[in-house]
DNA sequence: CTGTTAGCGCGTTCAA
DNA sequence: TTGAACGCGCTAACAG
């Protein structure tokens, strides 16, 4: 930077001004400095800058999982990462990832809260912990609704689920049932609500099995539903992974998709497109939501009341063909 | 840190010594310092440390992809991330992710090479660029073989493919064909070689379709193979994603798996376990390989001749049942 | 084994 | 609009 100044014929301080903000510097000087930067191939030292500014340009991604070694098997996380990185592209800001085992969450979250710089994205953090984290550090967005007062971005879970059910009845199905997520997960709750109200509106009693966002739940739930309601002809699954389980159980039971039973998942992750048959799914724009949260943190525009709710349009594929 | 020293009754420098290495400090002093650290809840400032040491504790993960927005759809990447993070757990070292669009690779790689600190992990970097990168920065490991002289860790691709073919013939299949990966991908090359030699050893002419590590390749390759060799009764796919495509094409053609046609994939990603039927697959221990590479970088034990080759055991599931 | 001292590279005040 | 000077929090020489 000393050199940049020298080459541009100005002091180090002026060069710094140009490189950082560029304000209160004459047009001519600015050009000369940028030119020198190019010429010398100068790149600022992030560590030094961080020390001087007292803040590192970094966004913290915080993932809580029952089994930290399993995060590699969840398509959701990589979509989030992808969204964050795209929002960070062209920025000097980096992403820092913390994967926390569920049991360690209370302690580890406090540790992380202390070191947060620009902001943090929370995934899978239960409301209590989310609220605590937000209290300790502000500058936070939760992916999926958390406690009241914790900024969050989520998909229109209820509306998405509703559109799935409506689609199924509209295309001629007579008995649409569901495999739900866990009763305490906010996303799962919304989807369940949407399913139930849409069922009622269509003149049917809501029929569903308890589940969870995993394959096994789909398999077990489907077998249970088939046993109790052999005349079902459509299943709404709380997420794509669950839907994959539904697909397997249906195959095991000799029911064909979509001929005998129609299937709709939720997420529209790449699982939906690689499944056989390709799966109709409610699209959750995860990348977009993560990018949006990231940009909000960068712009420091997240307050306790900050909230975004994104549409979740139905992506129709073969699994629900009439 | 000044405070830590004061509380422990020593100078700042001594406190620093204890916190960093702890060598050449008397037992008693060390205890006192650690005690003070606890008491004050002291946490070192990473930026300051980085500046003083002249090096940031960070590992760079570099991913090249044809479409950077699609990295969220590739299970391989999240497994790598997961492996790196597990190796970094308990360390002060962070992970920094760079996703690079294929066309930008030459320029961007040079940029990144300059800022690498502890070391870099390369994914999907073609040999030429890999060699160039290694020349510029050393401290690199490629996941999957790169150019000669570039440290790398890879799975026993050929042997893994061989075991898949042997398994299929041993369980009674008569005509095992393959959908390959791209001809210029090192992993794909190894798997192809394994398939071919195993086929020959089993007394058959190797039959395969060109492909790529994607769904579409599996679909197209399978339709082509079925047209040319209607009597095939087993397919080896170069990766799980391709295998999902094979599954779809077989379904479209009315062939049942495993009754009419057996299927074996490669990777043993979570796709293999969510597929219907569950898919036999050659296990590539991605997380373990990434963790191993990371540890090698941390220990600075990677030289031009550093190389690890990990076994790729067959994971047998329903798709290849006799 | 420990204390003293000198920067690491940069942002930012204050004066000019 | 610009330059000089200070300090961010820490590590690493060098003495003692």
């Amino acid at each position: 930077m000393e050199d940049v100044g020298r080459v541009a014929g100005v002091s180090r301080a002026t060069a710094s001004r140009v490189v950082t903000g560029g304000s209160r510097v004459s047009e001519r000087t600015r050009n000369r400095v940028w030119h020198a930067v190019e010429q010398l191939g100068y790149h600022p030292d992030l560590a030094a800058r961080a020390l001087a500014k007292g803040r590192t340009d970094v966004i913290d991604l915080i993932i809580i999982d029952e089994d930290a070694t399993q995060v590699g098997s969840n398509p959701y996380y990589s979509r989030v990462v992808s969204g964050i990185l795209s929002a960070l592209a062209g920025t000097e800001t980096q992403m820092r990832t913390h994967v926390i085992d569920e049991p360690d969450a209370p302690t580890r979250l406090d540790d992380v809260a202390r070191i947060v710089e620009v902001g943090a994205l929370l995934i899978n953090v239960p409301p209590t912990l989310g609220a605590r984290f937000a209290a300790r550090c502000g500058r936070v967005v939760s992916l999926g609704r958390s406690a009241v007062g914790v900024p969050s971005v989520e998909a229109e879970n209820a509306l998405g689920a509703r559109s799935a059910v409506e689609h199924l009845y509209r295309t001629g199905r007579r008995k649409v049932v569901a495999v739900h997520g866990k009763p305490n997960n906010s996303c799962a709750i919304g989807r369940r609500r949407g399913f139930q109200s849409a069922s009622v509106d269509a003149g049917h009693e809501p029929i569903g099995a308890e589940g969870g966002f995993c394959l096994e739940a789909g398999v077990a739930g489907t077998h249970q539903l088939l046993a109790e309601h052999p005349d079902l002809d459509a299943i709404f699954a709380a997420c794509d992974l669950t839907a994959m389980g539904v697909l397997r159980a249906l195959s095991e039971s000799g029911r064909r998709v979509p001929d005998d039973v129609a299937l709709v998942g939720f997420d529209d992750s790449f699982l939906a497109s690689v499944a056989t048959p390709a799966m109709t799914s409610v699209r959750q724009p995860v990348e977009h939501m993560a990018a949006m949260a990231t940009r909000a943190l960068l712009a420091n525009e997240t307050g306790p009341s900050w909230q975004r709710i994104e549409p979740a349009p139905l992506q129709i594929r073969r699994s629900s063909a009439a």
Side-chain angles (χ1 to χ4, degrees), chain A:
Chain A
M1 173 123 268
E2 192 73 57
D3 303 342
V4 172
R6 188 174 19 257
V7 169
V10 298
S11 77
R12 184 165 50 98
T14 302
S16 172
R17 277 195 203 90
V18 173
V19 172
T20 47
S23 77
R24 300 193 333 198
V25 179
S26 77
E27 190 70 13
R28 237 181 100 253
T29 310
R30 196 181 313 165
N31 289 145
R32 282 222 307 275
V33 170
W34 278 122
H35 189 75
V37 166
E38 287 295 325
Q39 188 179 327
L40 269 52
Y42 167 82
H43 286 259
D45 178 316
L46 282 325
R49 171 176 291 180
L51 182 58
K53 269 205 302 199
R55 157 189 284 218
T56 306
D57 286 331
V58 67
I59 294 273
D60 290 280
L61 168 62
I62 303 171
I63 299 176
I64 295 187
D65 204 274
E66 298 175 13
D67 180 358
T69 64
Q70 288 303 309
V71 298
S73 305
N74 194 323
Y76 183 78
Y77 298 141
S78 34
R79 292 179 73 185
V80 171
V81 168
S82 172
I84 296 175
L85 291 180
S86 77
L88 256 32
T91 307
E92 292 285 61
T93 308
Q94 306 282 351
M95 178 190 69
R96 194 158 57 180
T97 311
H98 311 261
V99 177
I100 301 180
D101 256 323
E102 181 130 38
D104 309 338
T107 353
R108 292 283 315 278
L109 277 177
D110 283 354
D111 289 350
V112 177
R114 201 183 16 241
I115 65 167
V116 168
E117 308 271 353
V118 177
L121 256 85
L122 265 35
I123 300 189
N124 241 347
V125 177
T128 339
L129 293 177
R132 178 176 168 137
F133 190 95
R136 282 187 200 284
C137 114
R139 296 199 301 276
V140 145
V141 175
S142 169
L143 251 59
R145 190 188 300 250
S146 181
V148 178
V150 179
S152 67
V153 48
E154 64 175 334
E156 292 262 33
N157 287 301
L159 247 58
R162 163 172 286 278
S163 71
V165 175
E166 288 171 349
H167 160 72
L168 289 167
Y169 280 121
R170 196 185 321 117
T171 53
R173 304 291 167 169
R174 316 293 304 244
K175 186 159 191 173
V176 180
V177 304
V179 179
H180 297 299
K182 288 214 183 124
N184 60 355
N185 177 293
S186 74
C187 293
I189 291 170
R191 295 169 199 179
R192 181 187 304 239
R193 229 186 26 242
F195 168 80
Q196 289 171 338
S197 71
S199 298
V200 170
D201 290 355
H204 299 266
E205 184 204 359
I207 296 170
E210 289 308 316
F213 288 164
C214 63
L215 184 85
E216 293 69 27
V219 176
T222 303
H223 281 307
Q224 177 197 326
L225 288 165
L226 282 173
E228 295 170 2
H229 307 274
D231 57 330
L232 66 83
D233 64 358
I235 299 183
F236 167 67
C239 80
D240 284 349
L241 203 48
T242 305
M244 293 302 279
V246 173
L247 225 37
R248 178 176 297 173
L250 287 173
S251 162
E252 288 168 354
S253 309
R255 311 275 185 127
R256 292 164 306 167
V257 177
D259 313 66
D260 304 325
V261 178
L263 172 63
V264 177
F266 204 113
D267 274 349
D268 194 29
S269 67
F270 82 108
L271 276 181
S273 54
V274 303
T276 299
M279 209 158 66
T280 296
S281 189
V282 181
R283 175 155 195 83
Q284 188 176 202
V286 179
E287 294 87 348
H288 177 238
M289 286 157 62
M292 177 171 262
T294 305
R295 278 191 288 265
L297 289 172
L298 287 176
N300 193 25
E301 59 190 35
T302 64
S305 68
W306 190 93
Q307 191 171 10
R308 294 289 181 277
I309 299 184
E310 293 300 302
L314 190 64
Q315 188 77 34
I316 298 176
R317 298 204 184 79
R318 261 208 66 214
S319 74
S320 68

